[in-house]
Amino acid sequence: MKKTKFIDLTKMDKLRIDEETGAFHPNWDNTILMTAYDAERTFLLTRDGRNLLLTQPLRDVLHCFARDNDIDVYERQAIYKMVGAHKGRGYIAGHHRLVPTHGTTNANVVYYMAHWLDGNGTSANGQLMIASFHGRKRIYRISIDTSLKTFDRLLKAANQAASCQLDGLDWLMYNYGVKTVNKKKSVRYHHNIRDKCRCAHHRIQCAWMITLIRHILSDYLSEEEIREIIKKIKRNI
């Protein structure tokens, strides 16, 4: 049975720092969470249990993370818009999910790997939220200054975005001959699952394209002109 370690992110100045470095590169497997330590440094908890200070602001760490892990900014915006979530966008790659605890402009926002999340609830006095994560050798129980309602809402949105991606991937695997179907389930698959997955793939492609076009045209045209162009594009796709 794994031992449990408690970490209170509401008292950052009390945390023991194991190392300050500019050489660590967070990825889906080596990181549990990250948050701003100050204006120029980022606190990061690794899956090995190390408390690191990265010598870059949180926004720069997130930018490099997205680049290194192929998280396309326009696809990210498009998928979150598809699921009706406009604030608190995470970095999503199917089962891999780096999710914020607040809106992304909130100074207290913590980004955590939801695929290592074990459970969450509130503290005994109800003032803080407690989230548990699987480390390599320990369970980490983290105190976070956010509401359970906000935490659950942003996690739900991330899960919905991930589901859209996985449906699109499922269609591509079937269409490219990578995924086979059990003949006994072929009728249900073809008339339900496959059509749903094909629809998700098409919606993601269209939403990504429209998001990119809107971004490019915003420097040259008015909002009304952009809307008219997008209407024409939608009629053709």
Side-chain angles (χ1 to χ4, degrees):
M1 185 175 179
K2 290 183 178 180
K3 295 182 178 179
T4 300
K5 181 178 180 179
F6 295 88
I7 298 176
D8 189 349
L9 290 185
T10 67
K11 300 177 180 179
M12 296 286 289
D13 58 331
K14 305 294 184 181
L15 294 179
R16 174 183 56 80
I17 303 301
D18 296 308
E19 183 182 1
E20 185 167 341
T21 178
F24 186 87
H25 298 282
N27 60 42
W28 303 118
D29 188 56
N30 66 13
T31 298
I32 289 179
L33 58 82
M34 61 182 77
T35 187
Y37 188 79
D38 54 34
E40 299 300 326
R41 294 177 295 177
T42 300
F43 173 82
L44 187 143
L45 173 64
T46 73
R47 288 200 67 221
D48 293 325
R50 288 184 296 160
N51 293 345
L52 302 183
L53 277 189
L54 305 187
T55 54
Q56 301 94 28
L58 177 62
R59 64 179 180 276
D60 291 349
V61 175
L62 291 169
H63 175 78
C64 292
F65 177 86
R67 180 198 63 204
D68 294 345
N69 293 280
D70 295 324
I71 307 297
D72 182 86
V73 61
Y74 300 112
E75 181 185 3
R76 178 170 168 247
Q77 292 176 12
I79 292 178
Y80 264 92
K81 186 176 181 180
M82 283 170 57
V83 301
H86 304 287
K87 294 183 179 180
R89 292 194 296 261
Y91 296 80
I92 312 299
H95 294 299
H96 289 147
R97 292 151 296 150
L98 180 64
V99 184
T101 58
H102 299 75
T104 53
T105 58
N106 191 300
N108 295 320
V109 62
V110 177
Y111 286 84
Y112 65 94
M113 296 294 184
H115 48 285
W116 301 128
L117 181 66
D118 186 47
N120 59 279
T122 55
S123 59
N125 60 12
Q127 297 298 311
L128 297 173
M129 205 211 71
I130 308 295
S132 297
F133 298 89
H134 280 290
R136 298 194 192 281
K137 297 181 179 179
R138 292 184 177 183
I139 298 294
Y140 296 93
R141 288 177 58 80
I142 314 295
S143 297
I144 301 173
D145 185 11
T146 189
S147 70
L148 187 60
K149 181 179 179 181
T150 299
F151 187 93
D152 287 342
R153 175 174 55 82
L154 297 180
L155 178 58
K156 180 181 178 182
N159 290 341
Q160 290 173 328
S163 180
C164 287
Q165 286 184 331
L166 292 170
D167 281 345
L169 175 63
D170 196 57
W171 163 248
L172 284 175
M173 291 175 68
Y174 173 82
N175 201 36
Y176 290 173
V178 176
K179 186 171 184 175
T180 58
V181 182
N182 186 316
K183 290 183 178 179
K184 293 181 179 179
K185 298 181 180 179
S186 62
V187 173
R188 186 180 70 85
Y189 183 87
H190 281 77
H191 291 291
N192 294 294
I193 300 175
R194 192 190 73 172
D195 291 341
K196 173 192 173 187
C197 295
R198 177 171 56 190
C199 180
H201 175 66
H202 179 72
R203 288 178 64 207
I204 291 172
Q205 283 190 313
C206 293
W208 175 87
M209 180 171 62
I210 289 171
T211 301
L212 176 59
I213 290 170
R214 176 179 287 279
H215 175 76
I216 294 171
L217 295 181
S218 63
D219 290 334
Y220 306 100
L221 301 175
S222 68
E223 179 61 29
E224 184 177 352
E225 290 172 317
I226 292 173
R227 282 199 297 266
E228 287 301 314
I229 290 173
I230 289 176
K231 284 181 183 178
K232 293 179 181 179
I233 292 172
K234 287 182 176 180
R235 285 198 293 268
N236 288 280
I237 59 175

Tab-separated table of all heavy atoms in Angstrom, residues 147-178:
chain	number	residue	atom	x	y	z
A	147	SER	N	-13.218	26.071	-5.264
A	147	SER	CA	-14.453	25.431	-4.811
A	147	SER	C	-14.615	24.088	-5.498
A	147	SER	O	-14.144	23.889	-6.632
A	147	SER	CB	-15.667	26.316	-5.128
A	147	SER	OG	-15.911	26.352	-6.531
A	148	LEU	N	-15.277	23.166	-4.832
A	148	LEU	CA	-15.536	21.852	-5.406
A	148	LEU	C	-16.384	21.975	-6.664
A	148	LEU	O	-16.184	21.247	-7.645
A	148	LEU	CB	-16.242	20.970	-4.369
A	148	LEU	CG	-16.441	19.497	-4.725
A	148	LEU	CD1	-15.105	18.812	-4.969
A	148	LEU	CD2	-17.209	18.779	-3.615
A	149	LYS	N	-17.307	22.935	-6.668
A	149	LYS	CA	-18.180	23.140	-7.824
A	149	LYS	C	-17.374	23.550	-9.056
A	149	LYS	O	-17.577	23.014	-10.156
A	149	LYS	CB	-19.221	24.214	-7.495
A	149	LYS	CG	-20.207	24.481	-8.623
A	149	LYS	CD	-21.223	25.531	-8.217
A	149	LYS	CE	-22.208	25.819	-9.355
A	149	LYS	NZ	-23.196	26.871	-8.958
A	150	THR	N	-16.453	24.499	-8.874
A	150	THR	CA	-15.616	24.940	-10.001
A	150	THR	C	-14.704	23.822	-10.470
A	150	THR	O	-14.553	23.594	-11.674
A	150	THR	CB	-14.776	26.166	-9.588
A	150	THR	OG1	-15.646	27.237	-9.230
A	150	THR	CG2	-13.868	26.610	-10.722
A	151	PHE	N	-14.094	23.122	-9.519
A	151	PHE	CA	-13.199	22.011	-9.847
A	151	PHE	C	-13.936	20.964	-10.686
A	151	PHE	O	-13.452	20.540	-11.748
A	151	PHE	CB	-12.676	21.379	-8.555
A	151	PHE	CG	-11.622	20.324	-8.757
A	151	PHE	CD1	-10.280	20.654	-8.716
A	151	PHE	CD2	-11.970	18.997	-8.971
A	151	PHE	CE1	-9.300	19.684	-8.892
A	151	PHE	CE2	-11.008	18.021	-9.147
A	151	PHE	CZ	-9.667	18.367	-9.105
A	152	ASP	N	-15.115	20.572	-10.248
A	152	ASP	CA	-15.883	19.542	-10.955
A	152	ASP	C	-16.353	20.033	-12.328
A	152	ASP	O	-16.366	19.265	-13.293
A	152	ASP	CB	-17.090	19.106	-10.121
A	152	ASP	CG	-16.701	18.250	-8.924
A	152	ASP	OD1	-15.568	17.719	-8.915
A	152	ASP	OD2	-17.529	18.108	-8.004
A	153	ARG	N	-16.736	21.307	-12.410
A	153	ARG	CA	-17.210	21.843	-13.695
A	153	ARG	C	-16.095	21.841	-14.739
A	153	ARG	O	-16.312	21.434	-15.895
A	153	ARG	CB	-17.737	23.266	-13.492
A	153	ARG	CG	-18.145	23.957	-14.791
A	153	ARG	CD	-18.793	25.307	-14.520
A	153	ARG	NE	-17.961	26.190	-13.729
A	153	ARG	CZ	-16.974	26.934	-14.239
A	153	ARG	NH1	-16.707	26.880	-15.538
A	153	ARG	NH2	-16.270	27.734	-13.466
A	154	LEU	N	-14.894	22.266	-14.353
A	154	LEU	CA	-13.785	22.318	-15.302
A	154	LEU	C	-13.285	20.919	-15.661
A	154	LEU	O	-12.872	20.673	-16.802
A	154	LEU	CB	-12.650	23.163	-14.727
A	154	LEU	CG	-12.991	24.634	-14.486
A	154	LEU	CD1	-11.797	25.380	-13.908
A	154	LEU	CD2	-13.449	25.307	-15.772
A	155	LEU	N	-13.344	19.996	-14.702
A	155	LEU	CA	-12.965	18.613	-14.996
A	155	LEU	C	-13.962	17.977	-15.952
A	155	LEU	O	-13.583	17.257	-16.890
A	155	LEU	CB	-12.880	17.808	-13.701
A	155	LEU	CG	-12.527	16.325	-13.849
A	155	LEU	CD1	-11.187	16.144	-14.560
A	155	LEU	CD2	-12.510	15.644	-12.479
A	156	LYS	N	-15.239	18.253	-15.760
A	156	LYS	CA	-16.275	17.721	-16.653
A	156	LYS	C	-16.074	18.226	-18.075
A	156	LYS	O	-16.175	17.463	-19.046
A	156	LYS	CB	-17.660	18.120	-16.150
A	156	LYS	CG	-18.802	17.612	-17.024
A	156	LYS	CD	-20.155	18.062	-16.485
A	156	LYS	CE	-21.289	17.585	-17.380
A	156	LYS	NZ	-22.619	18.055	-16.878
A	157	ALA	N	-15.769	19.523	-18.219
A	157	ALA	CA	-15.537	20.091	-19.548
A	157	ALA	C	-14.329	19.437	-20.217
A	157	ALA	O	-14.352	19.135	-21.417
A	157	ALA	CB	-15.333	21.598	-19.447
A	158	ALA	N	-13.270	19.201	-19.444
A	158	ALA	CA	-12.077	18.543	-19.986
A	158	ALA	C	-12.396	17.119	-20.430
A	158	ALA	O	-11.929	16.669	-21.488
A	158	ALA	CB	-10.962	18.532	-18.939
A	159	ASN	N	-13.203	16.415	-19.649
A	159	ASN	CA	-13.584	15.047	-20.009
A	159	ASN	C	-14.431	15.032	-21.283
A	159	ASN	O	-14.300	14.124	-22.116
A	159	ASN	CB	-14.346	14.395	-18.860
A	159	ASN	CG	-13.457	14.109	-17.659
A	159	ASN	OD1	-12.236	14.071	-17.786
A	159	ASN	ND2	-14.062	13.917	-16.504
A	160	GLN	N	-15.299	16.023	-21.441
A	160	GLN	CA	-16.120	16.112	-22.654
A	160	GLN	C	-15.252	16.401	-23.877
A	160	GLN	O	-15.470	15.829	-24.963
A	160	GLN	CB	-17.184	17.200	-22.489
A	160	GLN	CG	-18.277	16.842	-21.498
A	160	GLN	CD	-19.213	18.011	-21.230
A	160	GLN	OE1	-18.812	19.182	-21.266
A	160	GLN	NE2	-20.471	17.707	-20.966
A	161	ALA	N	-14.268	17.288	-23.717
A	161	ALA	CA	-13.353	17.584	-24.815
A	161	ALA	C	-12.554	16.339	-25.191
A	161	ALA	O	-12.365	16.042	-26.376
A	161	ALA	CB	-12.415	18.726	-24.417
A	162	ALA	N	-12.104	15.603	-24.173
A	162	ALA	CA	-11.357	14.377	-24.429
A	162	ALA	C	-12.212	13.352	-25.159
A	162	ALA	O	-11.741	12.654	-26.070
A	162	ALA	CB	-10.845	13.801	-23.108
A	163	SER	N	-13.479	13.267	-24.774
A	163	SER	CA	-14.390	12.312	-25.410
A	163	SER	C	-14.564	12.628	-26.894
A	163	SER	O	-14.600	11.718	-27.737
A	163	SER	CB	-15.741	12.335	-24.695
A	163	SER	OG	-16.641	11.421	-25.279
A	164	CYS	N	-14.647	13.920	-27.231
A	164	CYS	CA	-14.748	14.322	-28.642
A	164	CYS	C	-13.509	13.881	-29.413
A	164	CYS	O	-13.606	13.347	-30.530
A	164	CYS	CB	-14.905	15.835	-28.752
A	164	CYS	SG	-16.524	16.472	-28.276
A	165	GLN	N	-12.349	14.116	-28.838
A	165	GLN	CA	-11.110	13.714	-29.494
A	165	GLN	C	-11.054	12.202	-29.712
A	165	GLN	O	-10.671	11.727	-30.790
A	165	GLN	CB	-9.903	14.139	-28.659
A	165	GLN	CG	-9.604	15.614	-28.693
A	165	GLN	CD	-8.348	15.934	-27.912
A	165	GLN	OE1	-7.995	15.244	-26.951
A	165	GLN	NE2	-7.658	16.985	-28.306
A	166	LEU	N	-11.431	11.442	-28.690
A	166	LEU	CA	-11.352	9.986	-28.775
A	166	LEU	C	-12.356	9.432	-29.779
A	166	LEU	O	-12.077	8.438	-30.474
A	166	LEU	CB	-11.567	9.372	-27.395
A	166	LEU	CG	-10.437	9.647	-26.398
A	166	LEU	CD1	-10.840	9.225	-24.991
A	166	LEU	CD2	-9.158	8.929	-26.809
A	167	ASP	N	-13.525	10.065	-29.889
A	167	ASP	CA	-14.490	9.654	-30.913
A	167	ASP	C	-13.920	9.896	-32.307
A	167	ASP	O	-14.065	9.058	-33.209
A	167	ASP	CB	-15.806	10.418	-30.751
A	167	ASP	CG	-16.675	9.851	-29.644
A	167	ASP	OD1	-16.409	8.715	-29.204
A	167	ASP	OD2	-17.620	10.538	-29.213
A	168	GLY	N	-13.278	11.055	-32.490
A	168	GLY	CA	-12.664	11.344	-33.777
A	168	GLY	C	-11.552	10.371	-34.104
A	168	GLY	O	-11.410	9.914	-35.248
A	169	LEU	N	-10.752	10.022	-33.092
A	169	LEU	CA	-9.681	9.045	-33.288
A	169	LEU	C	-10.246	7.675	-33.627
A	169	LEU	O	-9.707	6.959	-34.487
A	169	LEU	CB	-8.828	8.962	-32.015
A	169	LEU	CG	-7.735	7.893	-32.008
A	169	LEU	CD1	-6.707	8.170	-33.102
A	169	LEU	CD2	-7.057	7.834	-30.637
A	170	ASP	N	-11.335	7.296	-32.981
A	170	ASP	CA	-11.964	6.009	-33.226
A	170	ASP	C	-12.392	5.889	-34.689
A	170	ASP	O	-12.216	4.847	-35.329
A	170	ASP	CB	-13.171	5.842	-32.303
A	170	ASP	CG	-13.645	4.406	-32.228
A	170	ASP	OD1	-12.828	3.549	-31.865
A	170	ASP	OD2	-14.825	4.156	-32.531
A	171	TRP	N	-12.948	6.987	-35.217
A	171	TRP	CA	-13.361	6.980	-36.627
A	171	TRP	C	-12.157	6.845	-37.555
A	171	TRP	O	-12.164	6.061	-38.509
A	171	TRP	CB	-14.129	8.254	-36.967
A	171	TRP	CG	-14.219	8.501	-38.447
A	171	TRP	CD1	-13.628	9.498	-39.145
A	171	TRP	CD2	-14.922	7.703	-39.407
A	171	TRP	NE1	-13.914	9.391	-40.473
A	171	TRP	CE2	-14.706	8.290	-40.667
A	171	TRP	CE3	-15.707	6.557	-39.315
A	171	TRP	CZ2	-15.255	7.773	-41.838
A	171	TRP	CZ3	-16.260	6.036	-40.478
A	171	TRP	CH2	-16.031	6.646	-41.721
A	172	LEU	N	-11.077	7.598	-37.278
A	172	LEU	CA	-9.890	7.521	-38.120
A	172	LEU	C	-9.292	6.110	-38.114
A	172	LEU	O	-8.894	5.589	-39.160
A	172	LEU	CB	-8.837	8.531	-37.639
A	172	LEU	CG	-9.083	9.993	-37.999
A	172	LEU	CD1	-8.035	10.885	-37.345
A	172	LEU	CD2	-9.062	10.187	-39.504
A	173	MET	N	-9.241	5.499	-36.944
A	173	MET	CA	-8.685	4.141	-36.848
A	173	MET	C	-9.530	3.154	-37.645
A	173	MET	O	-8.999	2.264	-38.320
A	173	MET	CB	-8.593	3.719	-35.375
A	173	MET	CG	-7.555	4.487	-34.578
A	173	MET	SD	-7.564	4.059	-32.827
A	173	MET	CE	-6.979	2.370	-32.879
A	174	TYR	N	-10.851	3.312	-37.575
A	174	TYR	CA	-11.729	2.438	-38.366
A	174	TYR	C	-11.559	2.720	-39.856
A	174	TYR	O	-11.399	1.813	-40.673
A	174	TYR	CB	-13.186	2.637	-37.960
A	174	TYR	CG	-14.139	1.888	-38.861
A	174	TYR	CD1	-14.399	0.535	-38.664
A	174	TYR	CD2	-14.733	2.526	-39.946
A	174	TYR	CE1	-15.243	-0.156	-39.510
A	174	TYR	CE2	-15.575	1.840	-40.795
A	174	TYR	CZ	-15.835	0.497	-40.576
A	174	TYR	OH	-16.659	-0.191	-41.420
A	175	ASN	N	-11.563	4.002	-40.222
A	175	ASN	CA	-11.516	4.381	-41.629
A	175	ASN	C	-10.185	4.018	-42.288
A	175	ASN	O	-10.139	3.719	-43.482
A	175	ASN	CB	-11.759	5.884	-41.765
A	175	ASN	CG	-12.214	6.287	-43.140
A	175	ASN	OD1	-12.956	5.560	-43.792
A	175	ASN	ND2	-11.775	7.448	-43.588
A	176	TYR	N	-9.096	4.038	-41.500
A	176	TYR	CA	-7.777	3.713	-42.032
A	176	TYR	C	-7.447	2.225	-41.914
A	176	TYR	O	-6.344	1.795	-42.227
A	176	TYR	CB	-6.699	4.520	-41.308
A	176	TYR	CG	-6.709	5.997	-41.621
A	176	TYR	CD1	-5.879	6.873	-40.934
A	176	TYR	CD2	-7.550	6.546	-42.596
A	176	TYR	CE1	-5.884	8.234	-41.205
A	176	TYR	CE2	-7.564	7.898	-42.869
A	176	TYR	CZ	-6.724	8.736	-42.171
A	176	TYR	OH	-6.733	10.080	-42.442
A	177	GLY	N	-8.400	1.439	-41.435
A	177	GLY	CA	-8.194	-0.001	-41.360
A	177	GLY	C	-7.372	-0.471	-40.181
A	177	GLY	O	-6.926	-1.617	-40.140
A	178	VAL	N	-7.166	0.411	-39.196
A	178	VAL	CA	-6.390	0.032	-38.010
A	178	VAL	C	-7.265	-0.722	-37.020
A	178	VAL	O	-6.833	-1.683	-36.388
A	178	VAL	CB	-5.786	1.283	-37.336
A	178	VAL	CG1	-5.052	0.904	-36.048
A	178	VAL	CG2	-4.855	2.002	-38.294
